[in-house]
Amino acid sequence: MLKRCLAALVAGLLLALAFEPVAVAYVVPVAVAGFALATRGLRARSGFLVGLVFGVAFYFPHIHWMTAVGTDAWLALAGVESVFYGLLGAAAAYLHRLPAWPLWLAAAWTTMELWRSGWPFSGMPWGRLAFAAADTPVAPALAYVGMVGLSALLALLGCLLAALVLAMVRARGGAPGRGSLVAGAVLAAVAVVTVLPALVPFEPGDDGDVTVAAVQGDVPGPGNDILYDYRGVTDNHVDATVALADEVAAGRSPRPDFVVWPENSTAVDPFADAATNAGIRRAVEAVGVPVLVGAIVDAGETNVLNQGIVWDPVTGPGERYTKWHPVPYGEYIPFREFFTGQFGRLAMIPRDMMSGTRETPLTIAGTAVGDAICFDVAYDDGIHAQVRNGAELLAVQTSNATFIETDQIDQQFAITRLRAIETGRTVVVAATNGVSGIITPDGEVVTSAAPRTQEVLLAEVGLWSGTTPGVLVGPWVGRLAAVLTGVGLLWSVLTYRRRRETPEPAVGPAARGSEEQESVR
């Protein structure tokens, strides 16, 4: 068990290196193979322990940026997420007993990722295998199989690699046996399927062009606290937009069709606060085109909404998108009555943020724009719904000021680039103070703004209202993985019980030795 736990520890740390800031994505299958080898041949309780060690080694470094919120928040969140890998290790103890076990274990890995990405509360999708794929030959597969499908393929590659290692160990230095050849052939076939889209990348259609601007106004003071000078944040975005209007009037810049401001560009309700309202109107009237404003809007005495509001220079505020996935214990407090008295910092969240449900894109200057606010970009549901309903372009409004000095902003930007590939859409990212950028449907960053700077990004980008195969099949891959996991666990449990209930015939020492060798295999 000590050797297995050490192996799981190394494999978990290796998987953490696949993501930003190191971003060596090629180690993903090796890390998954290490998990598979460390959990093979164990009972469920031992498998849980080994899986938990893997989860701790991976997830604690992966989201170390949560210490910007608080060490207690980091320990709590990483601890909860690590348990899911422990449960996967327990399931692996059963699934390893089945024929073609790499398929069953890969399905279980995929199911685990989906489970922890939506539960408890709104879940935590950070750390999905597909999120490590930026700038690799496997990234183009996203347009064909989606985030879920790519995670499943990477998990399968890792499990097949483990099967090949086991087959080679059984050969004991001799000529490769049938098992080694089969495992190697299947591994090669899955690898070819995974990288094939790089040779035949998905080509989105052409529904015209639009010129768009993303404003990064910057955050006054230390830069990691929106509320340090929230009026200064709004003023910065107003000033940057007015400066853009001056550039347009002077003929030095083309006039955008619309402008995107980030999440928390107004941290008070622009309908209730006269100064904020006046600032927005000044910016919108100056630039003369609609602005997608990121605003905190009152929703009664006990609730607030995190919204993207289309603000037109003629008609004023119009359509709105409300954030689908507020952060538990960051933007709302589950079981508030219990936790508020236990943790004084939760008093800084006096009102709970409510979740949005909008599935149709916003109409901005005649363009159908799918919106995502901050962590929404890591979830499949809201973005996929808007894309299926005809979004021609995606906008990501994000603050991330709390994490400005951490690797979180780079991890989220990498996820955003992968969303562009998966959906076949241009993505416009507006952040308060980093990282803002404009991303093409192949994941290329056309232009970006450095953190802690004030800048306006302007580009002409393509539009497309179709739907990639990845958006269509991704949810079905997840459902299939869940079914396979359930069937595999049931099959393994029933088979194992049947074997235990069948009396074993008396055998001699030679036969027992042969059976013991087969059991190890």
Side-chain angles (χ1 to χ4, degrees):
M1 282 299 298
L2 178 59
K3 291 181 179 179
R4 289 175 181 271
C5 287
L6 288 174
L9 180 71
V10 172
L13 291 172
L14 196 62
L15 185 58
L17 296 178
F19 299 85
E20 298 288 350
V22 181
V24 186
Y26 297 95
V27 303
V28 168
V30 180
V32 175
F35 175 91
L37 292 171
T39 55
R40 184 166 176 79
L42 297 177
R43 294 189 176 185
R45 282 180 295 181
S46 300
F48 177 85
L49 176 60
V50 172
L52 182 64
V53 170
F54 176 94
V56 167
F58 165 49
Y59 223 82
F60 275 78
H62 180 53
I63 65 163
H64 185 260
W65 44 263
M66 273 297 293
T67 54
V69 177
T71 301
D72 53 351
W74 171 56
L75 294 174
L77 180 57
V80 169
E81 298 304 309
S82 299
V83 171
F84 284 95
Y85 292 90
L87 295 173
L88 178 63
Y94 291 99
L95 299 175
H96 272 295
R97 302 168 183 161
L98 299 177
W101 63 265
L103 174 63
W104 303 102
L105 185 53
W109 186 294
T110 307
T111 302
M112 179 274 297
E113 282 196 350
L114 288 173
W115 182 19
R116 70 171 185 79
S117 295
W119 187 88
F121 311 119
S122 57
M124 180 57 176
W126 245 252
R128 294 167 66 178
L129 297 183
F131 289 170
D135 298 316
T136 70
V138 304
L142 286 165
Y144 292 95
V145 298
M147 291 289 185
V148 181
L150 183 54
S151 278
L153 286 171
L154 292 173
L156 182 57
L157 283 172
C159 293
L160 288 170
L161 179 60
L164 177 60
V165 170
L166 289 171
M168 293 176 67
V169 169
R170 292 190 195 111
R172 296 179 181 176
R178 182 174 179 274
S180 299
L181 295 176
V182 171
V186 176
L187 175 61
V190 174
V192 168
V193 169
T194 307
V195 301
L196 185 61
L199 303 177
V200 191
F202 182 85
E203 295 289 344
D206 183 4
D207 291 345
D209 300 311
V210 67
T211 301
V212 62
V215 177
Q216 178 175 296
D218 202 12
V219 176
N224 63 351
D225 185 1
I226 287 290
L227 299 180
Y228 174 85
D229 181 6
Y230 63 88
R231 294 197 184 280
V233 174
T234 301
D235 290 342
N236 283 352
H237 288 83
V238 171
D239 293 343
T241 305
V242 171
L244 170 63
D246 293 340
E247 291 289 306
V248 172
R252 291 188 292 268
S253 294
R255 183 180 298 277
D257 292 287
F258 62 90
V259 177
V260 180
W261 282 10
E263 174 193 29
N264 286 338
S265 48
T266 72
V268 294
D269 190 335
F271 305 107
D273 187 82
T276 300
N277 188 284
I280 295 173
R281 284 190 287 106
R282 183 165 73 91
V284 173
E285 291 168 4
V287 76
V289 298
V291 176
L292 180 59
V293 176
I296 299 298
V297 178
D298 296 334
E301 295 182 358
T302 59
N303 298 105
V304 296
L305 301 171
N306 192 344
Q307 294 190 320
I309 306 170
V310 180
W311 212 292
D312 188 88
V314 177
T315 60
E319 295 187 27
R320 307 184 196 183
Y321 168 86
T322 302
K323 185 176 183 179
W324 271 49
H325 295 282
V327 179
Y329 301 106
E331 294 174 319
Y332 75 99
I333 305 176
F335 311 113
R336 175 179 288 273
E337 298 80 5
F338 173 77
F339 283 106
T340 300
Q342 305 298 319
F343 301 97
R345 272 192 302 123
L346 296 182
M348 297 172 62
I349 311 169
R351 295 185 292 174
D352 290 330
M353 187 174 290
M354 300 174 68
S355 301
T357 58
R358 185 184 181 112
E359 297 186 354
T360 56
L362 301 168
T363 300
I364 311 178
T367 300
V369 179
D371 197 8
I373 296 179
C374 200
F375 278 30
D376 278 354
V377 75
Y379 294 85
D380 298 336
D381 47 11
I383 290 177
H384 285 188
Q386 294 177 84
V387 167
R388 288 193 301 267
N389 285 312
E392 300 171 290
L393 176 145
L394 295 179
V396 176
Q397 300 176 281
T398 186
S399 173
N400 285 345
T402 300
F403 308 110
I404 194 61
E405 302 294 344
T406 74
D407 301 318
Q408 188 273 349
I409 59 173
D410 296 317
Q411 291 177 4
Q412 183 171 316
F413 197 72
I415 295 170
T416 306
R417 292 178 59 202
L418 295 169
R419 284 294 179 200
I421 300 171
E422 180 195 38
T423 61
R425 298 296 193 279
T426 296
V427 181
V428 178
V429 184
T432 49
N433 57 349
V435 178
S436 299
I438 297 177
I439 306 165
T440 61
D442 61 359
E444 179 185 353
V445 181
V446 175
T447 180
S448 64
R452 301 298 305 275
T453 62
Q454 183 178 108
E455 192 169 345
V456 176
L457 306 178
L458 190 65
E460 183 179 59
V461 299
L463 303 175
W464 184 53
S465 59
T467 306
T468 61
V471 171
L472 294 174
V473 307
W476 291 102
V477 174
R479 296 180 186 115
L480 177 61
V483 170
L484 286 175
T485 302
V487 170
L489 289 173
L490 183 61
W491 181 13
S492 178
V493 169
L494 293 178
T495 303
Y496 181 66
R497 287 182 176 177
R498 191 177 300 117
R499 286 176 180 172
R500 293 189 64 182
E501 292 170 358
T502 302
E504 295 185 5
V507 294
R512 266 198 305 271
S514 175
E515 287 183 358
E516 288 170 359
Q517 291 180 10
E518 184 61 30
S519 175
V520 170
R521 295 191 183 100

